[in-house]
Each structure stands twice: as C-alpha cells, then as structure tokens.
Amino acid sequence: MNVQKPYLLTFDTIGAPDLGYIAVAGNSALPFQIKRTYWIYCTPETVARGHHAHHELQQVVIAVHGSIEFVLENVAGEKTIFHLEKPNVGLYIPEMHWRTINFSHDAVLLCLASTEYNEADYIRDFEVFQALANQ
Ligand code: TYD
C-alpha cells in the first residue's frame, strides 16, 4: 500500500501586530479541493477524540485557537505526533491514518475536508485498520 506522509502547511497571512491578522487557505494552497468544512470546540481536556482512520478522506486541520495534539499512525505502523498551536499552520492528514486527538480546554479545531461526510469511509476498529494496512 502506498504510504502518503502527513505534513505541516503554513498559510499566507495578511496583517500586522497592531492590526491583527487574516490567514488564507484557498484551494490553491491545499493538496485537495475543499468539499466540507467543520469545527470542533469545547472538548474537555479529559476527552481524547478521533480513534479512527478514513479510507479516502484527506483533511487539513488547523488549531485556530488553543493547542491540539494529533497522534497519527500510518499503515506501516509508523507514529508521528504533531502539536498545533498557530492559527496560520495546518496539518495535512492523508487517507488511511489512525488518529488520536487531545485538546486544550480552549481549543477550536477547524477541519478542511476533501469529501462530504460519509460514515462508510470511517474505519473505527483499530484491528480492522491494521488488517487493511497489512493487505
Ligand atoms: P467523528 O468524525 O467521529 O469525530 P471525532 O473523531 O472528533 O470524535 O464525528 C463525531 C460524530 O459526528 C459522528 O457520529 C459522525 C458525526 N459527524 C457528522 O455527522 N458529520 C460530519 O461532518 C462529521 C465530521 C461528524
């Protein structure tokens, strides 16, 4: 199975310290065309979200406020950890990455997604993910 790698993207910003900033993430700045946008907020620090992978969905996730830790595991069993805390930095997550996500109490996670929501695209059982990875 071809293993795509997650990586960080830095978005263009407009502004200055005395004025504030705008960060821009148009389709030309992304590795896919955006089909859906959602955001996650008010996650208790005692809660870890995620615990799934996607067959096809690609995402760019941004901590637009607060800090967010992503623990990613690819189909080769390689783990990478990313700490997001800058509103102009996004993390590209390719398909077939198991993720566990921890949030600071004030974190807001913006997700730019390559497909519409489709529950059939989720792999929610880690053993199923590992079995698919070993194919
Ligand atoms: P999920 O992607 O499992 O969130 P997390 O991994 O952060 O815990 O989504 C949680 C629930 O919300 C799940 O029942 C599916 C639903 N959901 C939608 O209906 N539409 C969406 O666009 C998303 C992202 C989730």
Side-chain angles (χ1 to χ4, degrees):
M1 193 178 280
N2 194 14
V3 180
Q4 304 289 326
K5 299 272 188 197
Y7 58 84
L8 296 173
L9 304 96
T10 301
F11 297 111
D12 287 343
T13 53
I14 302 158
D18 56 340
L19 194 64
Y21 294 94
I22 298 172
V24 183
N27 278 325
S28 61
L30 299 170
F32 54 78
Q33 300 283 297
I34 302 167
K35 291 273 176 53
R36 177 171 50 117
T37 304
Y38 63 88
W39 44 102
I40 299 175
Y41 55 95
C42 291
T43 309
E45 290 190 354
T46 51
V47 171
R49 299 192 67 118
H51 310 295
H52 65 256
H54 290 278
H55 290 284
E56 291 186 1
L57 180 71
Q58 302 167 64
Q59 295 157 297
V60 168
V61 291
I62 302 151
V64 291
H65 194 260
S67 59
I68 302 171
E69 178 194 70
F70 269 81
V71 181
L72 300 178
E73 183 168 339
N74 69 15
V75 292
E78 294 162 346
K79 272 192 183 176
T80 44
I81 300 178
F82 292 90
H83 295 277
L84 301 179
E85 56 187 5
K86 293 183 181 167
N88 67 324
V89 173
L91 169 64
Y92 170 62
I93 307 176
E95 68 276 18
M96 289 299 283
H97 278 70
W98 191 266
R99 80 283 314 274
T100 306
I101 317 164
N102 291 293
F103 297 77
S104 66
H105 72 282
D106 58 346
V108 180
L109 170 64
L110 175 64
C111 179
L112 312 176
S114 67
T115 69
E116 298 282 4
Y117 172 72
N118 174 15
E119 184 57 36
D121 187 61
Y122 280 76
I123 305 162
R124 293 193 181 276
D125 181 330
F126 188 64
E127 288 183 4
V128 171
F129 173 72
Q130 285 181 311
L132 286 168
N134 290 329
Q135 276 178 10

